[in-house]
Amino acid sequence: VDQQLIRSQMGDENIAAAEERDIAKQLEKIREQYPAAKSDEDWQHLLAQYGITEEMLRLKMARQLQVMRFVDLRLRPETRVARQDVETYYTENLVPEVRSRNASEASLAEVYAKIEEILRQQRIDALLTAWLQELRDHSDIQWLGVQPNVATPSEDSVATSGGR
């Protein structure tokens, strides 16, 4: 439902479209999680056991990547991280954790970019949660049907309106 709500905000279907190399990389990561699917034949057999084709998985991955890219495009500009926030995280979180493991401490300069991205992702997560709640509150969400033998409904079985 959340993905459908976000997709309804995209407007242009081509906005933030996933690139083929990103889709292929994600599919490879998924495939690596199944050591029994080393050969293409074994991979196809595994997919068939789940009742899906590689094209279906590819399409699902493309949609998920598109949603993630759109969220990043929409919310990242709203996340400013002040130097003081990075320094506070370094002294109050990172240094105590490193010391508790008796590991060598990296300087703030060495980890600044990583801490900044951690804080930015935390803020994006908070903004996304609030945005999704607002979309849910202002949308008419109806279940149009549930496919048998499927744990969760497909995104095609959910209708949303409003929230734009």
Side-chain angles (χ1 to χ4, degrees):
V1 173
D2 289 343
Q3 283 191 21
Q4 273 302 101
L5 288 170
I6 292 170
R7 291 175 69 77
S8 73
Q9 298 298 297
M10 284 188 214
D12 180 7
E13 275 295 314
N14 294 320
I15 193 166
E19 296 179 17
E20 183 55 39
R21 64 183 164 87
D22 294 331
I23 297 167
K25 189 185 335 182
Q26 288 298 329
L27 287 173
E28 189 60 35
K29 285 181 181 180
I30 292 170
R31 191 169 171 172
E32 287 172 0
Q33 295 175 16
Y34 298 93
K38 288 191 189 280
S39 74
D40 287 340
E41 185 178 324
D42 291 339
W43 173 241
Q44 296 303 322
H45 180 72
L46 178 68
L47 292 174
Q49 286 179 332
Y50 288 101
I52 59 173
T53 65
E54 187 164 345
E55 188 55 36
M56 291 167 68
L57 185 59
R58 190 179 237 22
L59 180 61
K60 183 74 169 171
M61 190 58 50
R63 286 179 175 173
Q64 287 179 350
L65 288 170
Q66 183 183 32
V67 166
M68 289 177 3
R69 288 178 72 179
F70 178 73
V71 166
D72 193 62
L73 285 170
R74 184 163 187 302
L75 299 179
R76 185 171 286 273
E78 297 180 38
T79 59
R80 302 281 186 262
V81 177
R83 179 168 183 81
Q84 182 60 44
D85 295 336
V86 174
E87 291 171 356
T88 300
Y89 184 93
Y90 177 78
T91 57
E92 293 180 7
N93 297 88
L94 184 64
V95 170
E97 182 182 328
V98 169
R99 287 181 181 163
S100 72
R101 290 189 274 140
N102 292 325
S104 61
E105 290 179 32
S107 70
L108 177 59
E110 292 173 307
V111 295
Y112 189 92
K114 288 181 182 178
I115 293 172
E116 184 178 39
E117 185 58 23
I118 289 168
L119 295 174
R120 187 176 309 277
Q121 287 300 321
Q122 288 174 351
R123 291 177 182 168
I124 288 173
D125 288 347
L127 286 170
L128 178 59
T129 299
W131 184 40
L132 285 171
Q133 188 59 52
E134 182 181 329
L135 290 174
R136 285 186 212 110
D137 291 346
H138 294 93
S139 296
D140 179 27
I141 301 171
Q142 300 174 12
W143 292 106
L144 299 178
V146 178
Q147 298 173 356
N149 300 324
V150 177
T152 58
S154 71
E155 58 195 13
D156 297 331
S157 66
V158 177
T160 61
S161 64
R164 271 197 187 204

